[in-house]
Amino acid sequence: KNQVEQSPQSLIILEGKNCTLQCNYTVSPFSNLRWYKQDTGRGPVSLTIMTFSENTKSNGRYTATLDADTKQSSLHITASQLSDSASYICVVSEGRGGSYIPTFGRGTSLIVHP
Amino acid sequence: DTAVSQTPKYLVTQMGNDKSIKCEQNLGHDTMYWYKQDSKKFLKIMFSYNNKELIINETVPNRFSPKSPDKAHLNLHINSLELGDSAVYFCASSQGERSARGAFFGQGTRLTVV
């Protein structure tokens, strides 16, 4: 059964600090891995996408890494801001019959305090 | 100028009723989706349509019937609502399934069945 596990479940940091969120998956056959940011009461917004051959991707202060051998990904946030407070969701898609079926993690709830 | 819009935003209804949620996107995307987010914040894909054709149906009960009158619209009709259908339903769209920009999500429709 495909699974995506994220840790920690929640995280509180001070503004300006860095943090790293983890994602482990057992999705097969692997197609791609995305990180989404979901603000409270809103739909998710895509931050990064990586395929099998990519091991790092940046989007501003967000940097995602992928180790396809160990099936792990991380999302590093640099110099956190109050607006980074949100849920961060790891999504791993399997390729199946020409389509891509996503499996979502439960998300890491990040709170940035001033 | 809303990219993906869903209506209504909130829906409270009694068990056994039939209801519809509408979704429209003005991004010119060819692929649209419905997702369900349960009380534990897990997102799961329900349906995916590409150019008005159903390409993913992830073991969703027959009571749920998506309708895509054109590429810009994907409506969700739910018959005989049950308590377990209470959740937030997100519509999304993308250009192809492997869009590097990911899917654009609507604001969600919070459905409460009483």
Side-chain angles (χ1 to χ4, degrees), chain A residues 21-83:
Chain A
L21 314 180
Q22 301 290 345
C23 172
N24 297 339
Y25 62 92
T26 57
V27 174
S28 181
F30 174 86
S31 174
N32 61 70
L33 184 148
R34 291 185 191 272
W35 283 93
Y36 279 91
K37 177 187 179 189
Q38 185 175 19
D39 292 310
T40 301
R42 313 278 298 217
V45 174
S46 178
L47 295 175
T48 64
I49 177 175
M50 288 180 291
T51 56
F52 186 86
S53 58
E54 297 172 297
N55 55 23
T56 187
K57 186 74 70 81
S58 290
N59 178 0
R61 294 179 297 103
Y62 301 104
T63 299
T65 64
L66 172 64
D67 186 332
D69 292 330
T70 61
K71 300 187 177 178
Q72 295 179 326
S73 175
S74 65
L75 180 69
H76 187 74
I77 305 175
T78 306
S80 60
Q81 299 176 359
L82 298 179
S83 59

Side-chain angles (χ1 to χ4, degrees), chain A residues 4-6 9 38 87-90 104-109, chain B residues 37 40-43:
Chain A
V4 175
E5 303 283 345
Q6 291 187 241
Q9 193 171 339
Q38 185 175 19
S87 180
Y88 291 84
I89 303 171
C90 177
F104 287 75
R106 185 187 297 233
T108 291
S109 176
Chain B
Q37 188 168 40
K40 294 193 170 93
K41 303 297 184 187
F42 265 117
L43 268 159

Side-chain angles (χ1 to χ4, degrees), chain B residues 53-90:
Chain B
E53 278 194 41
L54 178 68
I55 52 175
I56 295 175
N57 179 345
E58 281 296 281
T59 60
V60 179
N62 290 339
R63 298 182 295 103
F64 291 79
S65 51
K67 293 269 189 318
S68 183
D70 54 56
K71 275 185 2 176
H73 296 84
L74 181 61
N75 304 323
L76 184 64
H77 188 75
I78 315 170
N79 289 331
S80 304
L81 277 155
E82 300 176 358
L83 293 177
D85 296 333
S86 296
V88 181
Y89 292 84
F90 286 99

